[in-house]
Amino acid sequence: MNFSESFYVVTNDLKFAGVLHDIKKSQRALQPIFEAFTNSIEAIKIRAKEDLKYDGKINITIKIKSNLGNYSEFESITIKDNGIGFNDIEFKRFNTYKDFTKGYKNLGSGRIQYAHYFDSSEVKSIFKEGESLFERNFIISKNKTFLDNNAIVFHKNKIVSQSNESGTEITFKDILEKSNIYNSLTDKTLKEALLERYVHYFCYNANSLPAIKIKCYLDGSLTGESEIVKSDIPIIDKTDYLKLQFSKVADNGKGFQKIDKFEDFTIDAFKIRKEILKSNDLKLTSKGEIIEESNVSLESLAENDNVKGFKYLFLISSNYIDNRDTNIRGILNIPTSETFGKGDIFETEEILLEDIQQGVNEKIDTMYPEIEEVKQNHDLQLEKLKEMFLLDDETAKDLNISINDNESKILEKFYEAEAKKTANIDAKIKESIDKLEDLDTTADDYPEKLESEIKKLVKVIPLQNKTSLTHYVARRKLVLDLFDKILAKKLAIQSTKKGTSFSESLIHNLLFQQQSTDSENSDLWILNEDFIYFKGSSEKQLSKVEINGELLFKEIFTVEEEKYLTSLGENRKIKRPDVLLFPEEGKCLILEFKSTEVNVSEHLTQIDMYASLIRNYTQDKFQITTFYGYLLGEAIEPKDVLGRVSSYEHSYQFDYLFRPSQKVVGFERSHGSIYSEVLKYSTLLERAKKRNEIFIDKIHNKNNQ
């Protein structure tokens, strides 16, 4: 690689089109800025080790331009430092994909984010080589010219510099997608973002920070200037110390034993406003660095807890940690109970990671008694959760439940443990099924033999499972009773809050919570048991409905399509069907709920309109051609329905109206079809009650025996 020439930086056996696909664009809009700022910090630290009298500087310049209508638009942002610069070694490292030498989390993906966000990221870097200073210029982009050359970096030149100081200047411009965050960026908002993003680093390095200045220009005129100074950095709230004991492998080679040797550990605690520190954290530090991946965690506080508006950061330091650092930054050789004694990378005497975890957390509880109160509240919430979902105490003892586990995660862990138990039950079930081959349904003793096998099977099913089944059936009964009370207007809220929209919302939320996508935990079984197994959404704008994480609707429309979708003063893209369900590819169920007071026949074509929009304006990959519509209400007069849409027919034996398959017109696509039903809530309720009563009676009779 001749660095004096212009060339595209190409990596053998690596296709950048594939890398750009694998490393997704960060959801954090300012990520490219953070990546460049981190590089500046790194470059300054490297130079500071070589020159103790050197003062680091980072200057950030934001340029905004005004457009018509007093609208501000991002022009560029430049980050300039006086660090070591991109010498040949640093430039090679910058271009190495998944290079770990700068830290566990630094994988050379920063340039990928530059390319994802900006059409052009231009770098000018001054660096020392021998006794001379050189200048290197290069550009990062993913435009067609770059990718045609299988590159995202173009090295322009390396020339002798006229400058008297090393450093790097990177300018981001030509943002690829419009961004309100960048368009509204100012010196103050960027300062706040940097304080939030680098609060760990700033706290730990408050006495050695470089000078960080931010200027903002609008149409070339300075509009604001900010600086990150020591007074902006949270100070240590408390410092405490503890001694931790070394362990060695037991003489018999089994387990570990403590020895009469100790090491001092220091805990620096920061109490920071929740607006700045986004999550409570505990970090090990080594040789002036915070170790991001140290496998220790804060046990008394969940990440999102706050105590009177404050969150907590705990930084742990010790000579022991420093001595266990490696030449790969961010990686510590501290053994766990599983790794100690295996291999030759550890000393014969070590402090186990579990002992650090336990000792530090116990000390934190004594430093802040108010944190212990929060921990007790979490324990109380866990007990309530166990009671609510009939979770087994025996199973709970074997689970590793973290304070950061939300209710969903805790339930997931319980169910995984129960699944292991289920495997044993399945073996017993198989044994009973195998014995079915010996049964003869025509034999006189057939009922007795079948009952015998049933009793054997019931014995191996835990009480937990039996109780869960009872809970499942009982819950359904309560939901049906609640539905009955809504239809009879017997809820207390119905006497104080009235209106057709509220009446409809009560029923809608009972069947499927509005704005939800969790059909599995809905009560759509009242309509049809199969409905809870279909993916779907409740009252979502058509433009925001997703299937398997992808938007159903197109994001870009032709001029003609856009003209229709917004004609007559409407925006048809934001219409909200009550419920959409997708049972399989190419099919869609549309459910519409009406207030009990509304004449349902006045809304017979509403579902047809939704079907038309979905048929014609979804992404090409979602070709939905078959629709099933269900219009539900209580005020249904069959003659009104038949009089308005003559193709409906009355199903007298099941008390509902249906319309055989009709055409859904495809404007630029093939036609689809829709089958529709109009039915009463009271009819649904009676059907669901009959289904559930069978189980209720069985359970009730069993308990009374």
Side-chain angles (χ1 to χ4, degrees):
M1 193 178 285
N2 188 341
F3 287 113
S4 63
E5 298 177 352
S6 298
F7 60 92
Y8 286 98
V9 179
V10 178
T11 303
N12 292 332
D13 303 320
L14 188 66
K15 295 292 185 183
F16 276 101
V19 173
L20 290 164
H21 179 270
D22 291 341
I23 300 180
K24 303 298 184 185
K25 180 180 178 181
S26 172
Q27 296 303 304
R28 180 181 285 175
L30 293 178
Q31 187 61 33
I33 312 306
F34 295 152
E35 295 280 358
F37 186 83
T38 298
N39 286 341
S40 292
I41 291 287
E42 298 285 349
I44 287 170
K45 284 166 61 178
I46 294 172
R47 186 177 172 189
K49 290 178 181 178
E50 300 173 354
D51 183 358
L52 298 179
K53 296 181 180 180
Y54 152 76
D55 293 321
K57 299 176 184 177
I58 300 177
N59 293 313
I60 303 175
T61 303
I62 303 167
K63 292 184 179 180
I64 305 294
K65 58 185 177 182
S66 57
N67 281 338
L68 296 175
N70 295 321
Y71 174 71
S72 297
E73 187 175 26
F74 172 82
E75 184 175 346
S76 69
I77 183 168
T78 299
I79 300 175
K80 183 177 182 180
D81 65 66
N82 63 341
I84 192 174
F86 276 101
N87 57 34
D88 290 354
I89 294 173
E90 293 299 324
F91 184 64
K92 183 178 180 180
R93 180 181 290 137
F94 177 80
N95 287 289
T96 302
Y97 181 50
K98 294 192 175 179
D99 172 62
F100 291 91
T101 57
K102 291 186 71 176
Y104 181 71
K105 283 193 171 182
N106 195 324
L107 305 181
S109 61
R111 62 200 165 124
I112 308 297
Q113 295 304 324
Y114 298 170
H116 275 319
Y117 271 89
F118 299 95
D119 184 59
S120 176
S121 301
E122 299 183 4
V123 180
K124 174 183 176 183
S125 188
I126 313 295
F127 59 93
K128 191 173 183 181
E129 190 174 284
E131 296 301 319
S132 302
L133 287 173
F134 288 82
E135 176 182 322
R136 164 172 282 118
N137 293 275
F138 58 95
I139 300 173
I140 303 101
S141 178
K142 66 174 182 180
N143 67 36
K144 187 176 185 302
T145 304
F146 279 70
L147 292 184
D148 284 348
N149 285 278
N150 190 29
I152 59 171
V153 176
F154 177 68
H155 184 276
K156 295 174 67 176
N157 56 40
K158 173 185 172 182
I159 57 177
V160 176
S161 175
Q162 303 302 312
S163 175
N164 59 4
E165 185 177 34
S166 65
T168 297
E169 177 181 304
I170 180 168
T171 299
F172 300 104
K173 58 184 180 179
D174 300 325
I175 194 163
L176 293 174
E177 295 181 16
K178 290 183 178 180
S179 168
N180 289 331
I181 292 177
Y182 279 95
N183 289 341
S184 59
L185 198 61
T186 67
D187 55 297
K188 290 184 175 57
T189 58
L190 183 56
K191 175 181 176 178
E192 291 173 1
L194 290 173
L195 284 171
E196 177 190 323
R197 171 65 176 78
Y198 292 91
V199 63
H200 291 182
Y201 178 84
F202 289 159
C203 285
Y204 195 61
N205 297 276
N207 295 321
S208 58
L209 286 180
I212 303 171
K213 296 182 179 180
I214 310 169
K215 292 183 178 181
C216 186
Y217 292 85
L218 176 62
D219 296 331
S221 300
L222 182 67
T223 57
E225 187 171 1
S226 297
E227 187 174 0
I228 295 177
V229 295
K230 189 174 180 179
S231 59
D232 293 318
I233 313 301
I235 61 174
I236 296 174
D237 184 59
K238 290 182 181 181
T239 296
D240 211 334
Y241 309 90
L242 73 155
K243 290 182 179 292
L244 292 177
Q245 197 169 2
F246 280 77
S247 295
K248 72 171 187 177
V249 178
D251 295 335
N252 62 5
K254 298 179 180 179
F256 314 99
Q257 62 186 55
K258 301 292 185 184
I259 61 174
D260 189 23
K261 181 179 178 180
F262 295 84
E263 185 80 53
D264 292 324
F265 284 71
T266 301
I267 303 176
D268 289 325
F270 298 82
K271 189 175 178 181
I272 304 172
R273 295 196 317 276
K274 65 180 182 180
E275 292 80 13
I276 296 177
L277 184 64
K278 294 305 179 184
S279 59
N280 299 297
D281 220 337
L282 184 157
K283 298 288 187 184
L284 300 186
T285 63
S286 172
K287 301 176 183 178
E289 298 282 347
I290 290 177
I291 308 301
E292 292 294 341
E293 301 290 336
S294 55
N295 294 321
V296 294
S297 59
L298 186 58
E299 295 177 349
S300 302
L301 283 173
E303 292 176 352
N304 295 321
D305 284 336
N306 74 83
V307 180
K308 297 180 179 179
F310 289 92
K311 292 186 177 180
Y312 297 80
L313 171 64
F314 299 94
L315 301 180
I316 317 303
S317 57
S318 169
N319 287 333
Y320 175 81
I321 300 174
D322 292 347
N323 293 334
R324 297 310 183 273
D325 210 338
T326 69
N327 58 357
I328 301 178
R329 287 182 26 222
I331 299 294
L332 299 175
N333 276 340
I334 299 179
T336 66
S337 57
E338 292 183 358
T339 60
F340 189 30
K342 299 176 181 178
D344 57 0
I345 64 171
F346 302 119
E347 302 291 334
T348 56
E349 301 169 349
E350 296 282 0
I351 298 175
L352 299 181
L353 192 66
E354 290 92 337
D355 292 335
I356 298 175
Q357 168 89 11
Q358 180 180 348
V360 167
N361 276 284
E362 287 176 353
K363 177 61 73 170
I364 287 172
D365 287 345
T366 65
M367 293 174 69
Y368 291 99
E370 61 266 36
I371 290 180
E372 178 62 23
E373 294 177 14
V374 176
K375 184 179 179 181
Q376 290 173 1
N377 287 334
H378 280 290
D379 292 340
L380 181 60
Q381 290 173 0
L382 176 59
E383 290 302 317
K384 289 180 178 178
L385 195 64
K386 286 162 59 179
E387 181 179 352
M388 181 184 300
F389 291 95
L390 305 172
L391 302 176
D392 185 3
D393 282 331
E394 182 180 344
T395 304
K397 292 178 184 177
D398 299 329
L399 296 181
N400 181 23
I401 296 178
S402 164
I403 198 165
N404 285 307
D405 290 338
N406 56 26
E407 291 184 353
S408 176
K409 187 64 178 178
I410 292 172
L411 290 172
E412 180 183 330
K413 288 183 175 181
F414 266 101
Y415 296 150
E416 285 177 356
E418 287 296 327
K420 293 178 181 178
K421 291 182 180 180
T422 302
N424 294 326
I425 298 171
D426 288 345
K428 294 292 185 181
I429 292 174
K430 184 178 183 303
E431 182 181 329
S432 292
I433 290 174
D434 290 341
K435 289 185 178 179
L436 292 179
E437 296 176 2
D438 298 327
L439 294 182
D440 177 4
T441 59
T442 65
D444 292 339
D445 61 351
Y446 160 70
E448 291 78 12
K449 285 188 175 181
L450 179 62
E451 187 65 24
S452 174
E453 288 302 321
I454 292 171
K455 287 179 179 178
K456 288 179 186 177
L457 196 56
V458 169
K459 286 180 180 178
V460 301
I461 298 176
L463 178 61
Q464 164 75 14
N465 298 68
K466 299 168 190 174
T467 308
S468 295
L469 178 59
T470 303
H471 179 274
Y472 174 81
V473 175
R475 182 193 176 282
R476 287 193 167 196
K477 182 181 187 307
L478 289 177
V479 170
L480 292 173
D481 288 347
L482 179 59
F483 193 10
D484 198 358
K485 290 182 181 295
I486 292 173
L487 295 181
K489 296 184 174 59
K490 290 184 178 179
L491 297 187
I493 190 69
Q494 288 175 294
S495 63
T496 58
K497 195 170 183 179
K498 299 182 179 180
T500 58
S501 61
F502 178 66
S503 172
E504 181 183 330
S505 293
L506 282 175
I507 296 173
H508 190 147
N509 281 286
L510 177 123
L511 294 171
F512 193 175
Q513 285 288 313
Q514 292 172 300
Q515 303 299 316
S516 172
T517 57
D518 188 8
S519 53
E520 184 177 350
N521 290 310
S522 73
D523 286 297
L524 289 174
W525 57 269
I526 293 175
L527 283 77
N528 188 309
E529 287 286 349
D530 290 341
F531 285 4
I532 62 174
Y533 302 113
F534 301 156
K535 294 179 181 179
S537 60
S538 174
E539 207 186 41
K540 288 274 188 181
Q541 288 184 9
L542 285 172
S543 60
K544 295 181 179 179
V545 172
E546 294 183 352
I547 298 179
N548 297 326
E550 294 189 73
L551 286 175
L552 172 68
F553 251 47
K554 296 179 184 179
E555 294 185 81
I556 300 175
F557 298 94
T558 66
V559 174
E560 284 301 316
E561 288 174 333
E562 190 69 39
K563 181 179 179 181
Y564 162 66
L565 290 169
T566 56
S567 63
L568 302 179
E570 291 190 52
N571 184 353
R572 293 167 178 81
K573 292 177 285 186
I574 64 172
K575 288 188 175 295
R576 299 173 181 265
D578 285 343
V579 173
L580 293 179
L581 299 172
F582 304 96
E584 59 184 78
E585 187 175 342
K587 294 185 178 181
C588 176
L589 279 70
I590 307 173
L591 280 62
E592 277 298 310
F593 309 128
K594 297 303 171 188
S595 169
T596 54
E597 297 87 12
V598 169
N599 185 341
V600 173
S601 65
E602 295 177 359
H603 302 273
L604 294 174
T605 60
Q606 186 175 7
I607 288 176
D608 293 347
M609 170 57 75
Y610 293 145
S612 176
L613 292 172
I614 294 171
R615 177 70 201 104
N616 288 288
Y617 301 105
T618 57
Q619 293 194 60
D620 290 339
K621 68 176 69 176
F622 299 121
Q623 290 289 329
I624 298 175
T625 57
T626 305
F627 298 88
Y628 303 88
Y630 298 87
L631 184 59
L632 300 112
E634 190 60 21
I636 297 176
E637 170 52 61
K639 291 181 179 178
D640 275 353
V641 174
L642 298 173
R644 278 182 166 86
V645 180
S646 60
S647 54
Y648 272 97
E649 301 177 25
H650 200 167
S651 176
Y652 295 98
Q653 65 271 38
F654 295 113
D655 192 24
Y656 69 95
L657 294 109
F658 71 96
R659 183 182 63 177
S661 182
Q662 300 289 311
K663 180 167 65 178
V664 178
V665 175
F667 302 135
E668 301 295 335
R669 294 176 174 175
S670 60
H671 299 321
S673 64
I674 182 168
Y675 166 87
S676 307
E677 291 185 7
V678 179
L679 58 167
K680 289 185 176 182
Y681 294 130
S682 53
T683 301
L684 291 176
L685 178 61
E686 289 306 312
R687 291 180 191 171
K689 277 184 175 180
K690 285 184 172 64
R691 294 200 306 272
N692 211 52
E693 280 172 2
I694 297 172
F695 294 104
I696 290 287
D697 290 344
K698 287 286 185 184
I699 293 171
H700 179 73
N701 293 336
K702 185 69 176 177
N703 291 338
N704 287 336
Q705 288 179 358

